[in-house]
Amino acid sequence: MCPRKLNNLKEKDKLTNSFPEALRQDVEEVWNILTFRNTFNFSENSITVSLEGEIIQFPYRIYFDEPDYSVESELTAMQKTVLNCIFSRHYNGFIRQKRIEQLKNRTENWIIPFSFQLLGEYVYEILEVLNKHINDSTSNGYKSFVEENPKYYLQTESRMISYWNEYYRRPRFPLLKNYIGRQIFDRIIRRTHNS
């Protein structure tokens, strides 16, 4: 099947609604380099959070291929960051990990919903990357995000604990406190409670 450009406004909205309004032009530039092979490109379910008072809604998963590197390399740094956020929702865990790796040194607050969602997923290697990303230069943004989205925080924390129990408790981390996901959540919570 040949790659195709998607012109459906509803599908385009799924990406533009994933970011703050101030990034609309950058998101549209990224949209212009994406190609799709399937009719099913976005999961039906999405994640809705508040970010500095603005509602952000991004797909739980995406099901389309990464752009060619030559095309991607022509994007601005901001547009590459948008692209990496989009592909942090990819159905393939290796692609999610590769894209979040490229975000680990970025400090823009609008990255937080994408990286925070990954805290409640099962790929341990992604948690290792996030452990480096959630540090002194980014923790205030995470603190604000948690305070603005307490229910989402609790849901994500519960998912993290469930994945620990299912995949990592035996034999690697019999104590939850030793699991990297718990340590990251505790770091965010400490930051929230110490302010």
Side-chain angles (χ1 to χ4, degrees), residues 122-154:
Y122 60 88
V123 181
Y124 188 83
E125 293 77 8
I126 291 175
L127 293 176
E128 291 177 317
V129 175
L130 292 171
N131 193 40
K132 295 172 189 168
H133 172 71
I134 301 171
N135 55 42
D136 288 342
S137 63
T138 61
S139 60
N140 281 337
Y142 282 88
K143 170 190 167 284
S144 297
F145 181 76
V146 164
E147 290 172 347
E148 197 170 358
N149 298 280
K151 183 178 175 185
Y152 177 67
Y153 172 85
L154 292 173

Side-chain angles (χ1 to χ4, degrees), residues 115-116 118-131 134 153 156-165 168 172-173 175-190:
S115 55
F116 196 86
L118 291 166
L119 288 173
E121 297 184 10
Y122 60 88
V123 181
Y124 188 83
E125 293 77 8
I126 291 175
L127 293 176
E128 291 177 317
V129 175
L130 292 171
N131 193 40
I134 301 171
Y153 172 85
T156 307
E157 181 183 40
S158 293
R159 280 194 302 272
M160 175 273 295
I161 293 169
S162 294
Y163 282 124
W164 160 76
N165 187 51
Y168 299 108
R172 287 178 73 186
F173 304 103
L175 298 176
L176 177 59
K177 70 179 183 178
N178 295 332
Y179 179 60
I180 195 170
R182 175 75 270 160
Q183 293 168 359
I184 295 169
F185 271 89
D186 287 347
R187 188 177 324 134
I188 294 169
I189 286 292
R190 254 193 322 274

